[in-house]
Amino acid sequence: MNLRRDVFQAIADPTRRAILLLVASQALTAGAIASNFDTARPTVSKHLQILTECELLQQEQTGREIHYHINAKKMKEVADFIEPFRQMWDERFNKLESIMKKISTNPH
């Protein structure tokens, strides 16, 4: 049975989100990533495996080292999925703000 990792379950974990932020600006090795956390290296390796399996990270081998970097295409797919929800909530908050302003300027 081949289980596919869900990207939203992957980014639900705060450590995995922190890893994504770390590698957003530069590719890093597993050791460099792990040095930023107070957890065991195998734990960070498991997080890297999950992020790689759901294609948020890509691996690039340079000599004997493997560098992890953001898969911008997959991140854009996630952002594109979330965008309509963001727009909907922006509209709702703008309407609420407008109502609150009317109430505060005309309390009667």
Side-chain angles (χ1 to χ4, degrees), residues 23-103:
V23 298
S25 59
Q26 65 179 344
L28 295 170
T29 63
I33 294 167
S35 69
N36 289 276
F37 298 95
D38 287 334
T39 57
R41 174 126 182 216
T43 303
V44 173
S45 292
K46 182 66 177 172
H47 286 304
L48 291 171
Q49 177 187 357
I50 291 168
L51 290 169
T52 303
E53 287 176 4
C54 67
E55 300 176 346
L56 290 170
L57 289 184
Q58 292 179 321
Q59 297 176 339
E60 184 178 326
Q61 187 148 358
T62 308
R64 292 179 11 185
E65 293 185 328
I66 296 174
H67 287 82
Y68 292 86
H69 59 94
I70 287 281
N71 178 356
K73 182 179 177 189
K74 189 66 169 187
M75 292 297 287
K76 183 172 178 346
E77 288 176 20
V78 172
D80 289 348
F81 177 81
I82 293 171
E83 181 60 21
F85 298 101
R86 188 195 62 76
Q87 288 177 359
M88 176 185 65
W89 283 105
D90 280 351
E91 289 171 15
R92 288 181 180 184
F93 284 125
N94 288 341
K95 286 178 185 175
L96 179 59
E97 182 180 32
S98 175
I99 291 168
M100 296 300 291
K101 284 181 180 177
K102 286 179 185 175
I103 290 172

Coordinates of all heavy atoms in Angstrom, one line a residue, residues 23-103:
V23 N 14.8 26.9 5.0 CA 15.3 26.6 3.7 C 14.7 27.5 2.6 O 15.0 27.4 1.4 CB 15.2 25.1 3.3 CG1 16.0 24.2 4.3 CG2 13.7 24.7 3.2
A24 N 13.8 28.4 3.0 CA 13.2 29.3 2.0 C 14.2 30.2 1.3 O 14.0 30.5 0.1 CB 12.1 30.1 2.7
S25 N 15.2 30.6 2.0 CA 16.2 31.5 1.4 C 17.5 30.9 0.9 O 18.2 31.4 0.1 CB 16.5 32.6 2.4 OG 17.1 32.1 3.6
Q26 N 17.8 29.7 1.4 CA 19.0 29.0 1.0 C 18.8 27.5 1.2 O 18.2 27.0 2.2 CB 20.2 29.5 1.7 CG 20.2 29.2 3.2 CD 21.5 29.8 3.8 OE1 22.5 30.0 3.2 NE2 21.5 29.9 5.1
A27 N 19.5 26.7 0.4 CA 19.5 25.2 0.5 C 20.4 24.9 1.7 O 21.5 25.5 1.9 CB 20.0 24.6 -0.7
L28 N 20.0 23.9 2.5 CA 20.8 23.5 3.7 C 20.9 22.0 3.8 O 20.0 21.3 3.3 CB 20.1 24.1 5.0 CG 20.0 25.6 5.2 CD1 19.1 25.9 6.3 CD2 21.4 26.1 5.4
T29 N 21.9 21.6 4.4 CA 22.0 20.1 4.7 C 21.2 19.8 5.9 O 20.8 20.6 6.7 CB 23.5 19.7 5.0 OG1 23.9 20.4 6.2 CG2 24.4 20.1 3.9
A30 N 20.9 18.5 6.1 CA 20.2 18.0 7.2 C 20.8 18.4 8.5 O 20.1 18.8 9.5 CB 20.0 16.5 7.1
G31 N 22.1 18.3 8.6 CA 22.8 18.7 9.8 C 22.7 20.2 10.1 O 22.5 20.6 11.3
A32 N 22.7 21.0 9.1 CA 22.6 22.5 9.3 C 21.1 22.8 9.7 O 20.9 23.6 10.6 CB 22.9 23.2 8.0
I33 N 20.2 22.1 9.2 CA 18.8 22.2 9.6 C 18.6 21.8 11.0 O 18.1 22.5 11.9 CB 17.8 21.5 8.6 CG1 17.9 22.1 7.2 CG2 16.4 21.5 9.2 CD1 17.2 21.3 6.2
A34 N 19.1 20.6 11.4 CA 19.0 20.0 12.7 C 19.6 20.9 13.8 O 19.1 20.9 14.9 CB 19.6 18.6 12.7
S35 N 20.7 21.6 13.4 CA 21.4 22.4 14.4 C 20.5 23.6 14.9 O 20.8 24.2 15.9 CB 22.7 23.0 13.8 OG 22.4 23.9 12.8
N36 N 19.4 23.9 14.2 CA 18.5 24.9 14.6 C 17.4 24.4 15.6 O 16.5 25.2 16.0 CB 17.8 25.5 13.4 CG 18.8 26.3 12.6 OD1 19.0 27.5 12.9 ND2 19.4 25.8 11.6
F37 N 17.4 23.2 15.9 CA 16.3 22.6 16.8 C 16.9 21.8 18.0 O 18.0 21.3 17.9 CB 15.5 21.6 15.9 CG 14.8 22.3 14.8 CD1 15.4 22.3 13.5 CD2 13.6 23.0 15.0 CE1 14.7 23.0 12.5 CE2 13.0 23.6 13.9 CZ 13.5 23.6 12.7
D38 N 16.2 21.8 19.0 CA 16.6 21.1 20.2 C 16.0 19.7 20.3 O 15.5 19.2 21.3 CB 16.1 21.9 21.5 CG 16.9 23.1 21.7 OD1 18.1 23.1 21.3 OD2 16.4 24.0 22.4
T39 N 15.9 19.1 19.1 CA 15.4 17.7 19.0 C 16.5 16.8 18.5 O 17.5 17.3 17.9 CB 14.2 17.6 18.1 OG1 14.5 18.1 16.9 CG2 13.0 18.4 18.7
A40 N 16.3 15.5 18.6 CA 17.3 14.5 18.1 C 17.3 14.6 16.6 O 16.3 14.9 15.9 CB 16.9 13.1 18.5
R41 N 18.5 14.4 16.0 CA 18.7 14.5 14.6 C 17.7 13.5 13.8 O 17.2 13.9 12.8 CB 20.2 14.2 14.2 CG 20.4 14.1 12.8 CD 21.5 15.0 12.3 NE 21.6 14.9 10.9 CZ 22.7 14.9 10.2 NH1 23.8 15.1 10.9 NH2 22.8 14.8 8.9
P42 N 17.5 12.3 14.3 CA 16.6 11.4 13.6 C 15.2 12.0 13.5 O 14.4 11.8 12.6 CB 16.6 10.1 14.4 CG 17.9 10.1 15.1 CD 18.2 11.5 15.4
T43 N 14.8 12.8 14.5 CA 13.5 13.4 14.5 C 13.4 14.5 13.4 O 12.4 14.5 12.6 CB 13.2 14.1 15.9 OG1 13.3 13.2 16.9 CG2 11.8 14.8 15.9
V44 N 14.5 15.2 13.2 CA 14.5 16.2 12.1 C 14.6 15.5 10.8 O 13.9 15.9 9.8 CB 15.7 17.2 12.3 CG1 15.9 18.1 11.1 CG2 15.6 18.0 13.6
S45 N 15.3 14.4 10.7 CA 15.4 13.6 9.5 C 14.0 13.1 9.1 O 13.6 13.1 7.9 CB 16.3 12.4 9.6 OG 17.6 12.9 9.8
K46 N 13.2 12.7 10.1 CA 11.8 12.3 9.8 C 11.0 13.4 9.2 O 10.2 13.2 8.3 CB 11.2 11.7 11.1 CG 9.8 11.1 10.8 CD 9.8 9.9 9.9 CE 8.4 9.4 9.8 NZ 8.3 8.3 8.8
H47 N 11.1 14.6 9.8 CA 10.4 15.8 9.3 C 10.8 16.1 7.8 O 10.0 16.4 7.0 CB 10.7 17.0 10.2 CG 10.0 17.0 11.5 ND1 8.6 16.8 11.6 CD2 10.5 17.1 12.8 CE1 8.3 16.9 12.9 NE2 9.4 17.0 13.6
L48 N 12.1 16.0 7.6 CA 12.6 16.2 6.2 C 12.1 15.2 5.3 O 11.7 15.5 4.1 CB 14.2 16.2 6.2 CG 14.9 17.3 6.9 CD1 16.4 17.1 7.0 CD2 14.6 18.7 6.2
Q49 N 12.0 13.9 5.7 CA 11.4 12.9 4.9 C 10.0 13.2 4.5 O 9.6 13.1 3.3 CB 11.5 11.5 5.6 CG 10.9 10.4 4.8 CD 10.8 9.1 5.6 OE1 11.3 9.0 6.8 NE2 10.2 8.1 5.1
I50 N 9.2 13.6 5.5 CA 7.8 13.9 5.2 C 7.7 15.1 4.3 O 6.9 15.1 3.3 CB 7.1 14.2 6.6 CG1 6.9 12.9 7.4 CG2 5.7 14.9 6.3 CD1 6.5 13.2 8.8
L51 N 8.4 16.1 4.5 CA 8.4 17.3 3.6 C 8.8 17.0 2.2 O 8.3 17.5 1.2 CB 9.3 18.4 4.2 CG 8.7 19.1 5.4 CD1 9.7 20.0 6.1 CD2 7.4 19.9 5.1
T52 N 9.8 16.0 2.1 CA 10.3 15.6 0.8 C 9.2 14.7 0.1 O 8.9 14.9 -1.1 CB 11.6 14.8 0.9 OG1 12.5 15.7 1.5 CG2 12.1 14.4 -0.5
E53 N 8.6 13.8 0.8 CA 7.6 12.9 0.3 C 6.4 13.7 -0.3 O 5.8 13.3 -1.3 CB 7.1 11.9 1.3 CG 8.1 10.8 1.6 CD 7.7 9.9 2.7 OE1 6.6 10.0 3.2 OE2 8.5 9.0 3.0
C54 N 6.0 14.8 0.4 CA 4.9 15.6 -0.1 C 5.3 16.7 -1.1 O 4.5 17.5 -1.4 CB 4.0 16.1 1.0 SG 4.8 17.3 2.0
E55 N 6.6 16.7 -1.4 CA 7.2 17.5 -2.5 C 7.3 19.0 -2.1 O 7.4 19.8 -3.0 CB 6.4 17.3 -3.8 CG 6.5 15.9 -4.3 CD 5.6 15.7 -5.6 OE1 4.8 16.6 -5.9 OE2 5.8 14.6 -6.2
L56 N 7.2 19.3 -0.8 CA 7.5 20.7 -0.4 C 9.0 21.0 -0.4 O 9.4 22.1 -0.6 CB 6.9 21.0 0.9 CG 5.4 21.0 1.0 CD1 4.9 21.0 2.4 CD2 4.8 22.2 0.2
L57 N 9.8 20.0 -0.2 CA 11.2 20.1 -0.3 C 11.8 19.2 -1.4 O 11.2 18.1 -1.7 CB 11.9 19.7 1.0 CG 11.8 20.6 2.2 CD1 12.6 20.0 3.4 CD2 12.2 22.0 2.0
Q58 N 12.9 19.6 -2.0 CA 13.6 18.8 -2.9 C 15.0 18.6 -2.4 O 15.6 19.5 -1.8 CB 13.6 19.5 -4.3 CG 12.2 19.5 -4.9 CD 12.3 20.2 -6.3 OE1 13.0 21.2 -6.5 NE2 11.5 19.7 -7.2
Q59 N 15.5 17.4 -2.8 CA 16.9 17.1 -2.4 C 17.8 17.3 -3.6 O 17.5 17.0 -4.7 CB 17.0 15.7 -1.9 CG 16.2 15.3 -0.7 CD 16.3 13.8 -0.4 OE1 16.6 13.0 -1.2 NE2 16.0 13.5 0.9
E60 N 19.0 17.8 -3.3 CA 20.0 18.0 -4.3 C 21.4 17.6 -3.8 O 21.8 18.1 -2.8 CB 20.1 19.5 -4.7 CG 21.0 19.8 -5.9 CD 21.0 21.2 -6.3 OE1 20.0 21.9 -6.2 OE2 22.1 21.7 -6.7
Q61 N 21.9 16.6 -4.4 CA 23.2 16.0 -3.9 C 24.4 16.8 -4.5 O 24.4 17.1 -5.7 CB 23.3 14.5 -4.3 CG 24.6 13.9 -3.7 CD 24.4 12.5 -3.3 OE1 23.3 11.9 -3.5 NE2 25.4 11.8 -2.8
T62 N 25.2 17.3 -3.6 CA 26.4 18.0 -4.0 C 27.6 17.2 -3.4 O 27.8 17.3 -2.1 CB 26.4 19.4 -3.5 OG1 25.2 20.0 -3.9 CG2 27.6 20.2 -4.1
G63 N 28.3 16.4 -4.2 CA 29.4 15.6 -3.6 C 28.7 14.6 -2.7 O 27.8 13.9 -3.1
R64 N 29.2 14.5 -1.4 CA 28.6 13.6 -0.5 C 27.5 14.2 0.3 O 26.9 13.5 1.1 CB 29.7 13.1 0.5 CG 30.8 12.3 -0.2 CD 31.9 11.8 0.6 NE 31.8 12.0 2.0 CZ 32.7 11.7 2.9 NH1 33.9 11.2 2.5 NH2 32.5 11.8 4.2
E65 N 27.2 15.4 0.2 CA 26.2 16.1 1.0 C 24.9 16.2 0.2 O 24.9 16.4 -1.0 CB 26.6 17.5 1.4 CG 27.8 17.4 2.4 CD 28.1 18.8 2.9 OE1 27.9 19.8 2.2 OE2 28.5 18.9 4.1
I66 N 23.8 16.1 0.9 CA 22.5 16.4 0.3 C 21.9 17.7 0.9 O 21.9 17.9 2.1 CB 21.5 15.2 0.7 CG1 22.0 13.9 0.0 CG2 20.1 15.6 0.2 CD1 21.2 12.7 0.4
H67 N 21.6 18.6 0.0 CA 21.0 19.9 0.4 C 19.5 19.8 0.1 O 19.1 19.3 -0.9 CB 21.7 21.0 -0.4 CG 23.1 21.3 0.0 ND1 24.1 20.6 -0.4 CD2 23.6 22.2 0.9 CE1 25.2 21.0 0.1 NE2 24.9 22.0 0.9
Y68 N 18.8 20.4 1.0 CA 17.3 20.5 0.9 C 17.0 21.9 0.5 O 17.5 22.9 1.1 CB 16.7 20.1 2.2 CG 16.8 18.7 2.6 CD1 17.9 18.3 3.3 CD2 15.9 17.8 2.2 CE1 18.1 16.9 3.6 CE2 16.0 16.4 2.5 CZ 17.1 16.0 3.2 OH 17.3 14.7 3.5
H69 N 16.1 22.0 -0.4 CA 15.6 23.4 -0.8 C 14.1 23.3 -1.1 O 13.5 22.3 -1.4 CB 16.4 24.0 -2.0 CG 16.3 23.1 -3.2 ND1 15.4 23.3 -4.2 CD2 17.1 22.1 -3.6 CE1 15.6 22.5 -5.2 NE2 16.6 21.7 -4.9
I70 N 13.5 24.5 -1.0 CA 12.0 24.6 -1.3 C 11.7 24.3 -2.7 O 12.4 24.6 -3.6 CB 11.6 26.1 -1.0 CG1 11.6 26.4 0.5 CG2 10.3 26.4 -1.6 CD1 10.5 25.9 1.3
N71 N 10.6 23.6 -2.8 CA 10.0 23.3 -4.2 C 9.0 24.4 -4.4 O 7.8 24.3 -3.9 CB 9.4 21.9 -4.2 CG 8.7 21.6 -5.5 OD1 8.7 22.5 -6.4 ND2 8.2 20.4 -5.7
A72 N 9.4 25.5 -5.1 CA 8.5 26.6 -5.2 C 7.2 26.3 -6.0 O 6.2 26.9 -5.6 CB 9.3 27.7 -6.0
K73 N 7.3 25.4 -6.9 CA 6.1 25.0 -7.6 C 5.0 24.4 -6.7 O 3.9 24.8 -6.8 CB 6.4 24.1 -8.8 CG 5.2 23.7 -9.6 CD 5.6 22.7 -10.7 CE 4.4 22.3 -11.5 NZ 4.7 21.2 -12.4
K74 N 5.4 23.6 -5.8 CA 4.5 22.9 -4.9 C 4.0 24.0 -3.9 O 2.8 24.0 -3.5 CB 5.2 21.8 -4.2 CG 4.2 20.9 -3.4 CD 3.2 20.2 -4.3 CE 2.4 19.2 -3.5 NZ 1.6 18.4 -4.4
M75 N 4.9 24.8 -3.4 CA 4.5 25.9 -2.5 C 3.4 26.8 -3.1 O 2.5 27.2 -2.5 CB 5.7 26.7 -2.0 CG 6.6 25.9 -1.1 SD 5.9 25.3 0.4 CE 5.8 26.8 1.3
K76 N 3.6 27.1 -4.4 CA 2.6 27.9 -5.1 C 1.3 27.2 -5.2 O 0.2 27.8 -5.1 CB 3.1 28.3 -6.5 CG 2.2 29.2 -7.3 CD 2.7 29.7 -8.6 CE 1.8 30.6 -9.4 NZ 0.4 30.6 -9.0
E77 N 1.3 25.9 -5.4 CA 0.0 25.1 -5.5 C -0.7 25.3 -4.1 O -1.9 25.4 -4.1 CB 0.3 23.6 -5.8 CG 0.7 23.3 -7.2 CD 1.1 21.9 -7.4 OE1 0.6 21.0 -6.5 OE2 1.8 21.6 -8.3
V78 N 0.0 25.2 -3.0 CA -0.6 25.4 -1.7 C -1.2 26.8 -1.6 O -2.3 27.0 -1.1 CB 0.4 25.1 -0.6 CG1 -0.1 25.4 0.8 CG2 0.9 23.6 -0.7
A79 N -0.4 27.8 -2.0 CA -0.8 29.2 -1.9 C -2.0 29.4 -2.7 O -3.0 30.1 -2.3 CB 0.3 30.1 -2.2
D80 N -2.0 28.8 -3.9 CA -3.2 29.0 -4.9 C -4.5 28.4 -4.3 O -5.5 28.9 -4.5 CB -2.9 28.4 -6.2 CG -1.9 29.2 -7.0 OD1 -1.5 30.3 -6.6 OD2 -1.4 28.6 -8.0
F81 N -4.3 27.3 -3.6 CA -5.5 26.6 -3.0 C -6.0 27.5 -1.8 O -7.2 27.6 -1.7 CB -5.1 25.2 -2.4 CG -6.2 24.6 -1.7 CD1 -7.2 23.9 -2.4 CD2 -6.3 24.7 -0.3 CE1 -8.3 23.3 -1.7 CE2 -7.4 24.1 0.4 CZ -8.4 23.4 -0.3
I82 N -5.2 28.1 -1.1 CA -5.6 28.9 0.1 C -6.1 30.3 -0.3 O -6.9 30.9 0.4 CB -4.4 29.0 1.1 CG1 -4.1 27.7 1.7 CG2 -4.7 30.0 2.2 CD1 -2.8 27.6 2.5
E83 N -5.7 30.8 -1.4 CA -6.0 32.2 -1.8 C -7.5 32.5 -1.8 O -7.9 33.6 -1.3 CB -5.4 32.5 -3.2 CG -5.6 33.9 -3.7 CD -5.1 35.0 -2.7 OE1 -4.2 34.7 -1.9 OE2 -5.6 36.1 -2.8
P84 N -8.4 31.7 -2.4 CA -9.8 32.1 -2.3 C -10.3 32.2 -0.9 O -11.2 33.0 -0.6 CB -10.5 30.9 -3.1 CG -9.4 30.3 -3.9 CD -8.1 30.5 -3.1
F85 N -9.8 31.4 0.0 CA -10.3 31.5 1.4 C -9.8 32.8 2.0 O -10.5 33.5 2.8 CB -9.7 30.3 2.2 CG -10.3 29.0 1.7 CD1 -9.5 28.2 0.9 CD2 -11.6 28.6 2.0 CE1 -10.0 27.0 0.5 CE2 -12.0 27.4 1.6 CZ -11.2 26.6 0.8
R86 N -8.5 33.2 1.7 CA -8.0 34.5 2.2 C -8.8 35.6 1.7 O -9.2 36.5 2.4 CB -6.5 34.6 1.8 CG -5.9 35.8 2.5 CD -4.6 36.2 1.8 NE -4.7 36.6 0.4 CZ -5.2 37.8 0.0 NH1 -5.6 38.7 0.9 NH2 -5.3 38.1 -1.2
Q87 N -9.2 35.6 0.4 CA -10.0 36.7 -0.2 C -11.3 36.7 0.5 O -11.8 37.8 0.8 CB -10.1 36.4 -1.7 CG -8.9 36.7 -2.5 CD -9.1 36.4 -3.9 OE1 -10.1 36.0 -4.4 NE2 -8.0 36.6 -4.7
M88 N -12.0 35.6 0.7 CA -13.3 35.5 1.4 C -13.2 36.2 2.8 O -14.0 37.0 3.1 CB -13.8 34.1 1.5 CG -15.1 34.0 2.2 SD -15.6 32.2 2.4 CE -14.3 31.6 3.6
W89 N -12.2 35.8 3.5 CA -12.1 36.3 4.9 C -11.7 37.8 4.9 O -12.2 38.6 5.7 CB -11.1 35.5 5.7 CG -11.7 34.2 6.2 CD1 -11.5 33.0 5.7 CD2 -12.8 34.1 7.1 NE1 -12.4 32.1 6.3 CE2 -13.1 32.7 7.2 CE3 -13.5 35.0 7.9 CZ2 -14.1 32.2 8.0 CZ3 -14.5 34.5 8.8 CH2 -14.8 33.1 8.8
D90 N -10.9 38.2 3.9 CA -10.6 39.7 3.8 C -11.9 40.5 3.6 O -12.1 41.5 4.2 CB -9.6 39.9 2.7 CG -8.2 39.7 3.1 OD1 -7.9 39.4 4.3 OD2 -7.3 39.7 2.2
E91 N -12.7 40.0 2.7 CA -14.0 40.6 2.4 C -14.9 40.7 3.6 O -15.5 41.7 3.9 CB -14.7 39.9 1.3 CG -14.1 40.1 -0.1 CD -14.7 39.2 -1.2 OE1 -15.8 38.7 -1.0 OE2 -14.1 39.0 -2.2
R92 N -14.9 39.6 4.4 CA -15.8 39.6 5.6 C -15.2 40.5 6.6 O -16.0 41.2 7.3 CB -15.8 38.1 6.1 CG -16.7 37.2 5.3 CD -16.8 35.8 5.8 NE -17.6 35.0 5.0 CZ -17.9 33.8 5.2 NH1 -17.5 33.2 6.3 NH2 -18.7 33.1 4.4
F93 N -13.9 40.6 6.8 CA -13.4 41.5 7.8 C -13.5 42.9 7.4 O -13.8 43.8 8.2 CB -11.9 41.2 8.1 CG -11.7 39.9 8.9 CD1 -10.9 38.9 8.5 CD2 -12.3 39.8 10.2 CE1 -10.7 37.8 9.3 CE2 -12.1 38.7 11.0 CZ -11.3 37.7 10.5
N94 N -13.4 43.2 6.1 CA -13.7 44.6 5.6 C -15.1 45.0 5.8 O -15.4 46.1 6.2 CB -13.3 44.7 4.1 CG -11.8 44.6 3.9 OD1 -11.0 44.8 4.8 ND2 -11.4 44.3 2.7
K95 N -16.1 44.1 5.6 CA -17.5 44.4 5.9 C -17.7 44.6 7.4 O -18.4 45.6 7.8 CB -18.4 43.3 5.4 CG -18.5 43.2 3.9 CD -19.4 42.0 3.5 CE -19.5 41.9 2.0 NZ -20.2 40.7 1.5
L96 N -17.1 43.8 8.2 CA -17.2 43.9 9.6 C -16.6 45.3 10.1 O -17.2 46.0 10.9 CB -16.6 42.8 10.4 CG -16.6 42.8 11.9 CD1 -18.1 42.8 12.4 CD2 -15.8 41.6 12.4
E97 N -15.5 45.6 9.6 CA -14.8 46.9 9.9 C -15.7 48.1 9.5 O -15.9 49.0 10.3 CB -13.5 47.0 9.2 CG -12.7 48.2 9.6 CD -11.4 48.3 8.9 OE1 -11.2 47.8 7.7 OE2 -10.5 48.9 9.5
S98 N -16.3 48.0 8.3 CA -17.2 49.0 7.9 C -18.4 49.2 8.8 O -18.8 50.3 9.2 CB -17.7 48.7 6.5 OG -18.6 49.6 6.0
I99 N -19.0 48.1 9.2 CA -20.1 48.1 10.1 C -19.7 48.7 11.5 O -20.4 49.5 12.1 CB -20.7 46.7 10.3 CG1 -21.4 46.3 9.0 CG2 -21.7 46.6 11.5 CD1 -21.8 44.8 9.0
M100 N -18.6 48.3 12.0 CA -18.1 48.8 13.3 C -17.8 50.3 13.2 O -18.1 51.0 14.2 CB -16.8 48.0 13.7 CG -17.0 46.5 13.9 SD -18.2 46.2 15.2 CE -17.4 46.7 16.7
K101 N -17.3 50.8 12.1 CA -17.1 52.2 12.0 C -18.4 53.0 12.0 O -18.5 54.0 12.6 CB -16.3 52.5 10.7 CG -14.8 52.2 10.8 CD -14.1 52.5 9.5 CE -12.6 52.2 9.7 NZ -11.9 52.5 8.4
K102 N -19.4 52.4 11.3 CA -20.7 53.1 11.3 C -21.3 53.2 12.7 O -21.9 54.2 13.1 CB -21.7 52.4 10.4 CG -21.3 52.6 8.9 CD -22.3 51.8 8.0 CE -21.9 52.0 6.6 NZ -22.8 51.1 5.7
I103 N -21.1 52.1 13.4 CA -21.7 52.0 14.8 C -21.0 53.0 15.7 O -21.6 53.7 16.5 CB -21.6 50.5 15.3 CG1 -22.6 49.7 14.6 CG2 -21.9 50.5 16.8 CD1 -22.5 48.2 14.9

